[in-house]
Amino acid sequence: MASSEPSATEASDKFWHEFKAERLAIENTIQRSAHLPKHKLADHFQSILQNINNLEKQLTHATEFIPSYDERQYARQIKELSRALDTARANLTPKPKFTFKSRKQKKTQQERSADTITTNATTILTTIKSITTDISNLPRDDNDDDSDNVISYSDISDQLIEPTLSSVNPVDVSLSNLTRCTIILKSGQISALHIKNLSQCVVVCSTIRGSVLMYGFTRSVIAVGCHQFRMHDARTVHVLLNVSSRPIIEDSNDIYVGPYSLLLNIPDNNINYYDQMEDFNWLKKQASPNWRVMDKPEADEFNRSITHDPPSELSRLLCN
């Protein structure tokens, strides 16, 4: 009898949808703060804080099945919510006024001292938060205890990147801040692929066991087989895809998608959802204008070119 328990990929996908909905709800609640009477703000802000804390607890429970890269992205978004709440509270909560005229000068000095302390504290907290954010975005060091299963390439231009990956031990591959590079990931075991800020690049993969998560992908081509595909902030991208769940795009446009199979060992019962993309910025019944399916000759041309000679495909892309 088959188990009814969801797979890690399914649980991760479900959490992503729930997290996104809750984050947007909190953001909208913070934005409404300016329209509330001032006597209701204290309870209002306390309620938002509780919601943020609950979201953080949900993330803690979800770390059992979400990839470490996703965990860091979720944590960063929670920090941004906390920062937005702090800003709204500082701007909208009235400061206490002192009315004892006989001690006016003394109170003024105290207020100035308090303002100085508050300003200094805010500066320190802002600096700490900035440092924390910067550290979380730095490339992993190969000597870190938790980086043994992560291979990273960052801040590279005009290079062919073709690592030799283990055929036994799966790894996460992270690509960030690459320009005019060709990345070949056709051998070895890859558990997840993370892409951030790639421009004018070609990425060629075989089958990835887990998810492909992209933030910032411009004038580029990717060919990949995977279980889960999510693309954010992409512009003018050709995607050759074989995916076993509905792919997702958000804040993206000029996306062209076609089937990918030339490098994959695909079973006969395989279902490829490449042409059933969900656009989270388009809720209407009509087809989204942000993406389209390539016609067969176009998809076949990309498959042939990217499979046999990726550098020539990159040159053609740069000339367009």
Side-chain angles (χ1 to χ4, degrees), residues 1 53 57 60 68 104 121 129 193 240 270 275 300 314:
M1 180 176 178
N53 290 339
K57 291 178 182 177
T60 300
S68 57
K104 181 177 181 180
K129 289 180 180 179
L193 173 64
L240 299 177
N270 174 75
D275 57 350
D300 289 345
L314 177 58

Side-chain angles (χ1 to χ4, degrees), residues 6 63 66 127 137 149 186 204 210 213 217 235 242 249 298 317 320:
T63 54
I66 62 176
T127 303
N137 290 329
N149 65 336
K186 296 190 293 187
V204 182
L213 181 60
F217 199 51
R235 304 285 183 274
N242 193 292
I249 65 170
E298 183 182 13
L317 177 67
N320 289 340

